[in-house]
Amino acid sequence: MSPKALDYESINENVKKVQYAVRGELYLRASELQKEGKKIIFTNVGNPHALGQKPLTFPRQVVALCQAPFLLDDPNVGLIFPADAIAKAKHYLSLSLGGLGAYSDSRGIPGIRKEVAEFIERRDGYPSDPELIFLTDGASKGVLQLLNTIIRGEGDGVLVPVPQYPLYSAAIALYGGSLVPYYLEETANWGLDLNDLRQSVTQARYKGITVRAMVIINPGNPTGQCLSEANLRQILQFCFQENLVLLGDEVYQQNIYQDERPFISAKKVLMDMGPPISKELQLVSFHTVSKGYWGECGQRGGYFEMTNIPPQTVDEIYKVASVSLSPNVPAQVFMGLMVNPPKPGDISYEQFIRESKGILESLRRRARLMTDGFNSCRNVVCNFTEGAMYSFPQIRLPPRAIEAAKTAGKVPDVFYCLKLLEATGISTVPGSGFGQKEGVFHLRTTILPAEEDMPEIMASYKKFNDEFMEQYEDHRGYSRI
């Protein structure tokens, strides 16, 4: 009998090529151990609320009222909800015909897209067109949509930073394109070398690949670095010279833990550069409610803004968005609240500032605690987490550990991370899931565990690492840069 359509051997080969380490072997083993009763600390994914971060009060109040609008008719509603939350809920309900249970425009509610445009204008100092902003189910959905639009076949390549967030490698594989890696330099705080970038393009073209787009992740995931204005100018000029569309993953723009390099959007730098580049370079920028001090991952709210994209292409992207009818409507309200939060003088302003500032200050302290903790460990080197939500330490594995991993049929950093998980319950992601230079090994962990738990977690890690190194060390040398 011939294979059925959904038998494994007959399904789409691109589906089989997709790899997503954040929810891969380590996560599956951690889930098994949790079912067996072991305490697991899931630091494998940037999921703030799952690790104890409290939701911001004001947006939850507004969305609660939008979800249950009959509460607005209750004469006692003002005893439970502040007046500005009530007013804001009425505002968003007035923008959505049929409330949160009705489909919206496939690009998102027009009034909320206008609020996003106003936010971008305040941030960058340049106009933003709501007609070029699409609200999406998290930033990931927007990335998928744009890559699907760009990639025409395996001959089309996308420049992706390595280490990279595996959404990009997975999506490029799924859509049948070719990932063109450009390596970030760990010894230069994960900096970008333009000569390496040019070499990546040259090598891809030699293989017959048409490089059509470049991805930047700013601040970096998993590497945590923040791009300077000078870096961004170089990147934009490179894309202009090479005729590439730039995809700017800027979902961690609120997560900045140092003062030397504040977040600057790619769009602002592009507009500052002026014509002809500001009128011609194609740019798509992404943002989300999942990160920052919001951390509303489960709400699945995001947007992308298109710059210098032809109207006919925008229409095609709109057409494809229409196949899914509507992005998640409650998440659109969260997005509206993120870009248009309480203002000075509003009843909820002081509490909102106190909560959001408290989260960011704690994350800044945790970034330092984790970096210092890793750097105190034997054969571990870690750059400071300037932004985003992750540490990405290099683990200098002894040759005997690498040999033991091969004997076990494991990639060396997967072997190390599995041993860490079994010994401590700390669930991380091996660096091989993000890409890394040959013979160099890392792990990625979030900085999200509760601040009061961080010393114990780092002590547990240090104890494991010291014992691991003692077991496998033979003083013949190590994997290293």
Side-chain angles (χ1 to χ4, degrees), residues 91 206 228 233 338 344 364 410 417 444 463:
H91 163 69
Y206 180 76
S228 67
R233 283 178 177 271
M338 187 183 83
R364 183 181 281 229
K410 301 290 183 187
C417 290
R444 189 195 79 167
K463 179 175 182 293

Side-chain angles (χ1 to χ4, degrees), residues 67-306:
Q67 289 278 25
F70 52 83
L71 293 175
L72 293 168
D73 298 324
D74 191 304
N76 295 317
V77 66
L79 300 177
I80 303 172
F81 294 93
D84 52 354
I86 293 169
K88 191 71 87 168
K90 290 179 178 178
H91 163 69
Y92 285 117
L93 288 170
S94 74
L95 297 179
S96 175
L97 183 65
L100 270 56
Y103 290 135
S104 75
D105 185 286
S106 300
R107 298 165 296 180
I109 297 169
I112 296 177
R113 287 189 285 123
K114 182 174 182 289
E115 291 180 350
V116 172
E118 290 166 351
F119 157 77
I120 294 169
E121 288 180 21
R122 291 193 302 272
R123 184 193 67 191
D124 296 341
Y126 293 98
S128 175
D129 184 352
E131 296 299 303
L132 299 176
I133 293 167
F134 283 40
L135 305 183
T136 54
D137 295 339
S140 299
K141 189 62 73 73
V143 169
L144 292 171
Q145 190 168 345
L146 265 295
L147 287 174
N148 193 24
T149 305
I150 291 166
I151 295 169
R152 301 165 300 183
E154 64 182 357
D156 285 344
V158 179
L159 277 163
V160 177
V162 175
Q164 55 100 23
Y165 176 47
L167 163 68
Y168 293 96
S169 53
I172 292 165
L174 184 62
Y175 297 135
S178 296
L179 186 146
V180 180
Y182 65 93
Y183 287 89
L184 303 178
E185 183 51 58
E186 186 168 9
T187 56
N189 199 29
W190 298 112
L192 170 63
D193 187 320
L194 274 181
N195 290 327
D196 288 345
L197 194 57
R198 291 190 185 98
Q199 188 175 9
S200 294
V201 173
T202 301
Q203 289 174 348
R205 288 175 177 159
Y206 180 76
K207 296 174 184 175
I209 295 169
T210 302
V211 182
R212 286 170 56 80
M214 177 177 175
V215 173
I216 57 170
I217 307 174
N218 182 37
N221 175 10
T223 48
Q225 87 286 4
C226 296
L227 293 175
S228 67
E229 184 174 352
N231 289 153
L232 287 165
R233 283 178 177 271
Q234 289 177 323
I235 290 164
L236 289 160
Q237 192 64 48
F238 174 81
C239 289
F240 186 55
Q241 291 168 351
E242 300 293 339
N243 198 28
L244 308 178
V245 57
L246 180 62
L247 304 180
D249 182 335
E250 298 175 338
V251 300
Y252 295 101
Q253 61 188 262
Q254 291 177 339
N255 296 98
I256 307 296
Y257 310 126
Q258 40 71 44
D259 301 319
E260 291 74 27
R261 273 181 299 282
F263 171 77
I264 306 172
S265 75
K267 183 183 177 185
K268 174 174 171 50
V269 178
L270 176 63
M271 292 298 110
D272 284 348
M273 292 172 77
I277 186 170
S278 63
K279 298 287 188 182
E280 296 181 25
L281 179 75
Q282 295 181 344
L283 168 68
V284 184
S285 306
F286 304 89
H287 198 9
T288 182
V289 301
S290 298
K291 309 304 178 184
Y293 46 80
W294 287 69
E296 293 280 4
C297 299
Q299 309 294 348
R300 310 311 301 135
Y303 75 75
F304 62 85
E305 181 196 27
M306 296 172 283

Side-chain angles (χ1 to χ4, degrees), residues 45-58:
V45 62
N47 195 10
H49 293 184
L51 287 165
Q53 181 174 309
K54 301 296 183 199
L56 297 171
T57 301
F58 181 75

Side-chain angles (χ1 to χ4, degrees), residues 333-381:
V333 175
F334 271 101
M335 179 56 72
L337 290 162
M338 187 183 83
V339 299
N340 191 17
K343 298 175 176 58
D346 290 351
I347 296 167
S348 298
Y349 176 75
E350 294 297 334
Q351 181 182 18
F352 180 83
I353 292 298
R354 186 170 62 251
E355 290 175 350
S356 56
K357 188 177 179 183
I359 291 167
L360 283 179
E361 288 177 348
S362 176
L363 285 169
R364 183 181 281 229
R365 291 191 296 269
R366 281 179 270 175
R368 177 53 66 189
L369 280 168
M370 191 161 270
T371 304
D372 291 347
F374 281 127
N375 283 326
S376 73
C377 293
R378 193 165 161 183
N379 301 334
V380 179
V381 179

